[in-house]
Amino acid sequence: DAGVIQSPRHEVTEMGQEVTLRCKPISGHNSLFWYRQTMMRGLELLIYFNNNVPIDDSGMPEDRFSAKMPNASFSTLKIQPSEPRDSAVYFCASSTGVKNIQYFGAGTRLSVL
Amino acid sequence: QKEVEQNSGPLSVPEGAIASLNCTYSDRGSQSFFWYRQYSGKSPELIMSIYSNGDKEDGRFTAQLNKASQYVSLLIRDSQPSDSATYLCAVIWSGTASKLTFGTGTRLQVTL
């Protein structure tokens, strides 16, 4: 199994630009999670989907952030417009729901200049 | 505010010793607990999950859960330099389905 696949691995952009992060969950997993990790705040859940439906987006910091899951094998996290404080590592994770065990992708390191 | 608390460390132990990592949580009703290991620059990977009071062993790792005292710990026996990493404790609060809340992690250093 290829695991959770995220792209790009690194993204450098300028303030005000739109950023789109992508995630392909493990085949057969029906839950998908987006996290953000910073030194200051640690690993925080932004939003999660169950069967492609957003269940809880209470962790999304503000309206500049949006996430979609158009099908079971693809999700995006978009930031528009991006700001320097959005610089972080963004992880995607997926789960079958069995015992709530989540498997993480390699992450996208975002730098907003 | 529900919290998961860990000592940030670093916790330094000599090779071959037992490393003991601790985590406390604020919601007495929580049912699911996890330990993830994260190497620098890498993603978290699951080490152990535990759902019932008591001990759960897997190789050199033992997770211990005490719901009455609201703590969960991870013991690493025969510590190796390759165990040097940050260990993240995660909890699913009661009534929150699949949402994991992570502690800030404890950095473990295993010295030669």
Side-chain angles (χ1 to χ4, degrees), chain A residues 78-89:
Chain A
K78 185 176 293 186
I79 308 172
Q80 166 63 19
S82 57
E83 297 182 3
R85 60 194 168 118
D86 302 330
S87 297
V89 180

Side-chain angles (χ1 to χ4, degrees), chain B residues 52-112:
Chain B
S52 304
N53 274 332
D55 295 359
K56 179 181 178 182
E57 186 174 320
D58 184 0
R60 296 186 296 113
F61 299 96
T62 298
Q64 299 176 319
L65 175 61
N66 184 323
K67 291 184 179 180
S69 299
Q70 295 173 231
Y71 82 78
V72 55
S73 61
L74 180 70
L75 301 179
I76 307 174
R77 290 181 298 281
D78 188 23
S79 296
Q80 301 296 309
S82 59
D83 294 326
S84 298
T86 296
Y87 289 80
L88 302 169
C89 174
V91 178
I92 295 181
W93 304 123
S94 56
T96 61
S98 305
K99 290 178 63 172
L100 281 177
T101 298
F102 284 85
T104 53
T106 297
R107 189 157 63 94
L108 173 66
Q109 293 178 337
V110 180
T111 58
L112 295 173

